[in-house]
Amino acid sequence: MSEGEEMVVMVTGGSGLVGNGIRIMVEKDQRPGEKWIFLSSKDANLMSMDETKAIFEKHRPTHVIHLAAMVGGLFRNMKYNCDFWRNNMQINTNVLEVSHQMGVKKVVSCLSTCIFPDKTTYPIDETMVHNGPPHSSNYGYSMAKRMIDVMNRVYHEQYGCQFTSVIPTNIYGPYDNYNVEDGHVLTGLIHKVYLAKKNGTPFTVWGTGKPRRQFIYSLDLARLMIWVTREYKEISPIILSVDEEDEVSIKELAEMVVEEMDFKGEVTYDTSKADGQFKKTACNAKLRTYLPDFKFTPIRQGIKETVELTFLHDTTRTDDSDSHHYKYCICVPRWLIWLTGPPSPPTTTLQTSP
């Protein structure tokens, strides 16, 4: 940015897990001359080119953090693979094309480790994204996300656009979606333990518990994404992950949740449910070359904070078993988390004077 020019950062998907993490961390580290705009789905339907253009014209961002996506858990992905492909391709195409048309200086898109080949060697790194097809369980979503890397490269080659991407491992933290079927692994386990305690029923983990994952706390990811937006110059993606030795199995994760929530009941594993990909061990060597001293939140501490922030009395409850719409309202110190995902707030703007 030239001296005296305002940096306007527009965050799509700004009301979700990662977007709210970024909002929290920006509030802690506001810099002069920066304006941060957090959009929700109520602000624009990014599958519409016209609405995408309109929201860009309204806010005139110099930088975009692109988080908006159609997302869901393993079983929803398996059922609606084509929808995940089509809708996410529309969103990503619109956001990047309008960013190009509007002269946005930098776009940082959020990918996922599911983009990596199913059959590969471990640990995976940024050079291996296109070495083979992703796992079949979420093929549509994975390929749509993978194509962002392709679009970043071709926009840079043809137009000189500074479009890049980050690849986080499994994310957890405040503002997550607590729906058992559509949410992330950790918060789904927290929800299940809560219901098991409340109803006096067994806590059932879907699958064998054997798959292994690296988990990154949403506030750690937020700090890293802010750094990428401000400092990272490469077009090629960068993996944002805890170290390899911090990988844990789903069984180990479930045991940590059980311990933290003081659950004394029976724990069972429903092996009729699919495990998904066994492991996706990611190498963060590239990140460590840039930020060798970055301190990640230990998984046990992150689970403790997530449980405490999520806790734990429901004030309303409706349960439509056909549509799987949960409306448990969980009260937390600074916000409300709805188990269907947080309600979409109006556009939020954070600004400091130059």
Side-chain angles (χ1 to χ4, degrees), residues 55-76:
I55 200 69
F56 272 71
E57 289 171 352
K58 177 180 179 179
H59 295 293
R60 295 284 172 174
T62 62
H63 294 64
V64 172
I65 297 179
H66 177 37
L67 306 176
M70 176 184 177
V71 297
L74 171 64
F75 300 98
R76 190 176 178 207

Side-chain angles (χ1 to χ4, degrees), residues 109-351:
S109 297
C110 190
L111 310 186
S112 165
T113 52
C114 70
I115 68 174
F116 285 99
D118 180 30
K119 307 299 182 184
T120 189
T121 56
Y122 294 98
I124 50 181
D125 63 40
E126 294 87 351
T127 68
M128 301 164 68
V129 170
H130 301 285
N131 286 358
H135 194 271
S136 59
S137 61
N138 56 0
Y139 189 84
Y141 177 81
S142 301
M143 288 301 291
K145 284 290 188 179
R146 186 187 286 191
M147 287 302 103
I148 291 178
D149 180 53
V150 175
M151 288 190 281
N152 288 346
R153 294 173 188 274
V154 297
Y155 270 103
H156 179 70
E157 291 170 4
Q158 187 166 341
Y159 301 113
C161 297
Q162 190 74 18
F163 296 169
T164 190
S165 59
V166 300
I167 309 174
T169 46
N170 289 64
I171 313 164
Y172 70 98
Y175 280 107
D176 205 352
N177 177 359
Y178 281 71
N179 187 296
V180 171
E181 291 195 359
D182 293 340
H184 290 104
V185 174
L186 177 56
T187 40
L189 293 175
I190 291 172
H191 183 185
K192 285 186 173 185
V193 172
Y194 167 68
L195 293 179
K197 286 187 70 172
K198 181 176 181 178
N199 299 326
T201 55
F203 164 41
T204 301
V205 181
W206 287 351
T208 65
K210 294 179 181 179
R212 303 186 64 81
R213 296 291 185 267
Q214 290 154 291
F215 290 88
I216 182 169
Y217 195 34
S218 60
L219 301 186
D220 292 344
L221 177 59
R223 287 190 291 149
L224 290 170
M225 291 197 70
I226 293 167
W227 167 79
V228 169
T229 304
R230 290 170 174 162
E231 307 292 344
Y232 183 68
K233 305 300 184 186
E234 297 186 38
I235 301 302
S236 60
I238 184 168
I239 290 172
L240 304 182
S241 173
V242 299
D243 300 321
E244 294 168 45
E245 59 266 26
D246 294 323
E247 186 177 58
V248 297
S249 71
I250 302 304
K251 183 176 186 293
E252 291 169 327
L253 189 72
E255 289 169 350
M256 289 185 230
V257 173
V258 164
E259 180 180 343
E260 189 56 45
M261 296 184 69
D262 195 30
F263 177 69
K264 305 299 184 183
E266 181 184 3
V267 180
T268 63
Y269 290 82
D270 183 355
T271 57
S272 69
K273 301 289 189 182
D275 272 336
Q277 203 166 351
F278 175 68
K279 66 183 298 183
K280 299 188 284 186
T281 313
C283 172
N284 67 0
K286 184 176 182 179
L287 173 64
R288 286 299 188 192
T289 63
Y290 282 102
L291 300 173
D293 299 322
F294 186 88
K295 303 297 184 185
F296 288 96
T297 303
I299 182 69
R300 285 187 178 274
Q301 179 185 337
I303 291 174
K304 178 180 176 63
E305 291 181 8
T306 300
V307 168
E308 288 176 349
L309 290 172
T310 308
F311 232 70
L312 255 177
H313 65 276
D314 57 337
T315 57
T316 63
R317 179 184 188 274
T318 63
D319 185 349
D320 181 344
S321 59
D322 292 326
S323 62
H324 304 289
H325 287 165
Y326 300 92
K327 293 184 180 177
Y328 296 91
C329 181
I330 289 180
C331 297
V332 299
R334 293 184 60 200
W335 51 75
L336 291 177
I337 299 174
W338 290 77
L339 297 181
T340 50
S344 297
T347 305
T348 301
T349 302
L350 302 175
Q351 187 169 10

